[in-house]
């Protein structure tokens, strides 16, 4: 253990990302195979798409699994000091070794084995599941989507009046992004409550996935 | 029709870059590329729904701006802390200065 520092744990919402991405990619490729064949561009084009997509994902630091818990907000991650840095450094070396390999991950010439994003999960087991089978989901929960805004629209008031379109757009600009669905967005006076689900986040350059995210904020 | 907002994620954007490149070099026609993106939407929506990915909680200091239009919320939150539950314990996993949430109405059976 590193002295005077807890071993930083990679949160599960981060740890599941590589496998999730792999699944999406595989699903898209196998579902598009027939269309590619019908279109005449064939398996070759499909493989080219697959490898380029995977390659871009590898290169984007989204698969970097050093934990995104800086002690101070907005801290720039100094990967060299992260306890997992040896992992990410190793991963980077491995990345460059495997990038050139053309592998077919499905289809008749399937030789897929371990050469997936999972290889980069090179840390211990914390929060790393065995592959979960694709159970049919309990969709009974929270089937109602509610958007309760307690009253009609108020103008953005007191000091928030932005007449300039650009200024408004600027307020919406940020690299940190969450795409998700909402079960609940409600407010009482200026206290807002949220229940989101099925979300993908990119925060400080790192990717996260969540089933449900519940929180609040003050406006 | 599956939600398209996941195209804005890294996974979606890398796919779009890939498709744009392939179109440019004649490997793909735009219609087929659009079909790929539609399939991406279906795959992502389905796989997100059918996995018990982690549950998080968060606390935002400030909701800076919001927009609600066509049943889509766009929210800018500032000074947000995210927690992840691990058994009985709750760990802080993230601290974000400013973030944007794009949320569509929860839809099932897609």
């Amino acid at each position: 253990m590193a002295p005077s520092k807890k071993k930083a744990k990679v949160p599960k919402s981060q740890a599941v990302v590589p496998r999730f991405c792999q699944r999406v990619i595989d699903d898209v490729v196998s579902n598009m195979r027939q269309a590619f064949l019908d279109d005449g561009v064939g398996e070759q084009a499909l493989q080219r798409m697959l490898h380029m997509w995977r390659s871009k994902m590898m290169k984007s630091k989204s698969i970097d699994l050093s934990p995104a818990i800086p002690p101070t907000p907005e801290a720039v991650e100094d990967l060299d000091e992260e306890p997992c840095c040896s992992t990410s450094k190793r991963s980077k070396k491995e990345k460059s070794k495997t990038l050139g390999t053309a592998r077919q991950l499905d289809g008749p010439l399937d030789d897929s084995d371990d050469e997936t994003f999972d290889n980069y999960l090179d840390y211990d087991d914390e929060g790393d599941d065995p592959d979960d089978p694709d159970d049919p989901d309990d969709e009974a929960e929270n089937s109602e989507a509610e958007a309760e805004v307690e009253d009609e629209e108020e103008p953005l008031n007191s000091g928030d009046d932005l007449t300039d379109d650009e200024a408004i757009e600027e307020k919406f600009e940020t690299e940190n992004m969450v795409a998700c669905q909402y079960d609940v967005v409600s407010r009482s006076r200026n206290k807002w409550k949220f229940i989101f689900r099925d979300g993908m986040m990119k925060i400080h350059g790192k990717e996260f996935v969540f089933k449900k995210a519940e929180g609040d904020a003050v406006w | 029709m599956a939600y398209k907002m996941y195209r804005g994620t890294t996974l979606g954007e890398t796919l779009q870059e890939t498709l744009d490149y392939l179109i440019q070099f004649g490997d793909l026609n735009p219609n087929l590329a659009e079909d790929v993106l539609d399939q991406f939407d279906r795959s992502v929506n389905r796989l997100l729904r059918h996995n018990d990915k982690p549950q998080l909680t968060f606390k935002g200091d400030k909701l800076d701006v919001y927009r609600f239009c066509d049943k889509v919320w766009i929210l800018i939150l500032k000074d947000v802390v995210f927690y992840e539950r691990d058994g009985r314990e709750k760990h802080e996993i993230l601290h974000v200065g400013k973030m944007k949430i794009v949320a569509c109405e929860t839809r099932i059976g897609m």
Side-chain angles (χ1 to χ4, degrees):
Chain A
M1 292 281 182
S4 74
K5 215 182 191 184
K6 277 190 291 189
K7 192 175 181 187
K9 205 168 158 165
V10 178
K12 194 169 169 189
S13 47
Q14 218 182 339
V16 296
V17 169
R19 189 178 303 125
F20 175 78
C21 290
Q22 187 68 62
R23 280 186 182 151
V24 172
I25 294 175
D26 288 347
D27 200 63
V28 170
V29 167
S30 57
N31 278 294
M32 287 307 300
R33 173 160 283 111
Q34 195 55 55
F36 272 61
L37 294 175
D38 292 345
D39 192 73
V41 289
E43 184 68 27
Q44 225 182 356
L46 187 67
Q47 290 302 316
R48 243 193 304 272
M49 179 186 82
L50 167 64
H51 292 297
M52 192 176 294
W53 190 10
R54 287 189 68 215
S55 167
K56 284 179 184 284
M57 282 302 289
M58 302 285 194
K59 281 182 192 154
S60 84
K61 292 196 194 140
S62 61
I63 315 272
D64 178 358
L65 292 177
S66 54
I69 321 173
T72 53
E74 301 281 356
V76 173
E77 254 97 45
D78 187 353
L79 289 179
D80 285 349
E81 280 169 8
E82 294 285 4
C84 294
C85 72
S86 58
T87 300
S88 49
K89 276 186 188 159
R90 207 183 317 149
S91 300
K92 278 175 190 160
K93 278 198 211 142
E94 284 178 359
K95 265 180 223 173
S96 46
K97 264 192 250 165
T98 54
L99 262 185
T101 322
R103 309 290 292 260
Q104 180 162 358
L105 294 179
D106 52 16
L109 297 174
D110 188 353
D111 63 349
S112 64
D113 47 33
D114 305 319
E115 209 63 50
T116 65
F117 298 147
D118 279 355
N119 278 352
Y120 304 100
L121 296 176
D122 219 355
Y123 52 90
D124 7 290
D125 211 35
E126 303 151 357
D128 192 10
D129 289 343
D131 269 4
D132 33 304
D134 272 1
D135 304 335
D137 190 26
D138 40 311
E139 289 171 356
E141 62 173 302
N142 287 338
S143 49
E144 296 298 318
E146 301 166 0
E148 303 165 21
V149 180
E150 287 292 321
D151 65 3
E152 305 87 48
E153 280 179 65
E154 287 174 17
L156 297 170
N157 58 11
S158 55
D160 250 344
D161 279 7
L162 296 166
T163 50
D164 194 18
D165 275 350
E166 263 181 29
I168 293 174
E169 286 315 310
E170 236 176 70
K171 283 228 151 202
F172 283 94
E173 263 171 38
T174 170
E175 285 292 305
N176 301 319
M177 216 270 292
V178 181
C180 60
Q181 300 176 34
Y182 63 86
D183 283 346
V184 173
V185 176
S186 73
R187 78 168 179 85
S188 176
R189 297 186 181 212
N190 67 340
K191 303 230 180 330
W192 290 66
K193 282 193 176 337
F194 312 98
I195 301 182
F196 299 118
R197 58 174 62 249
D198 295 352
M200 292 176 72
M201 317 203 290
K202 180 174 176 175
I203 309 262
H204 299 148
K206 312 227 169 150
E207 302 283 322
F208 300 80
V209 172
F210 63 79
K211 182 68 198 166
K212 184 177 170 190
E214 190 169 344
D216 48 57
V218 175
W219 184 67
Chain B
M1 201 58 158
Y3 279 136
K4 297 184 199 292
M5 74 283 196
Y6 300 108
R7 295 188 191 187
T9 61
T10 303
L11 190 57
E13 288 194 338
T14 47
L15 176 58
Q16 288 184 96
E17 286 168 17
T18 299
L19 294 172
D20 287 343
Y21 180 92
L22 292 174
I23 292 173
Q24 214 181 356
F25 285 87
D27 273 0
L28 221 56
N29 69 66
N31 282 334
L32 189 56
E34 194 54 40
D35 290 346
V36 176
L37 286 173
D38 289 344
Q39 179 58 53
F40 171 80
D41 296 335
R42 284 192 291 272
S43 298
V44 134
N45 276 272
R46 185 178 67 82
L47 288 167
L48 276 173
R49 202 171 61 256
H50 284 138
N51 275 295
D52 61 344
K53 297 285 185 316
Q55 301 211 2
L56 307 179
T57 54
F58 63 92
K59 192 145 196 79
D61 200 47
K62 184 162 168 47
L63 171 63
D64 199 33
V65 199
Y66 62 87
R67 239 181 219 163
F68 182 61
C69 183
D70 292 335
K71 294 192 177 177
V72 180
W73 280 100
I74 301 184
L75 309 154
I76 300 290
L77 292 172
K78 286 190 166 169
D79 293 328
V80 187
V81 184
F82 278 87
Y83 305 89
E84 189 176 282
R85 178 150 284 150
D86 174 22
R88 280 198 206 118
E89 288 178 17
K90 209 166 77 162
H91 299 288
E92 182 179 315
I93 62 165
L94 265 184
H95 197 149
V96 198
K98 180 178 177 185
M99 58 185 283
K100 173 158 76 179
I101 301 181
V102 177
C104 298
E105 193 178 20
T106 295
R107 210 194 246 175
I108 49 174
M110 288 193 17

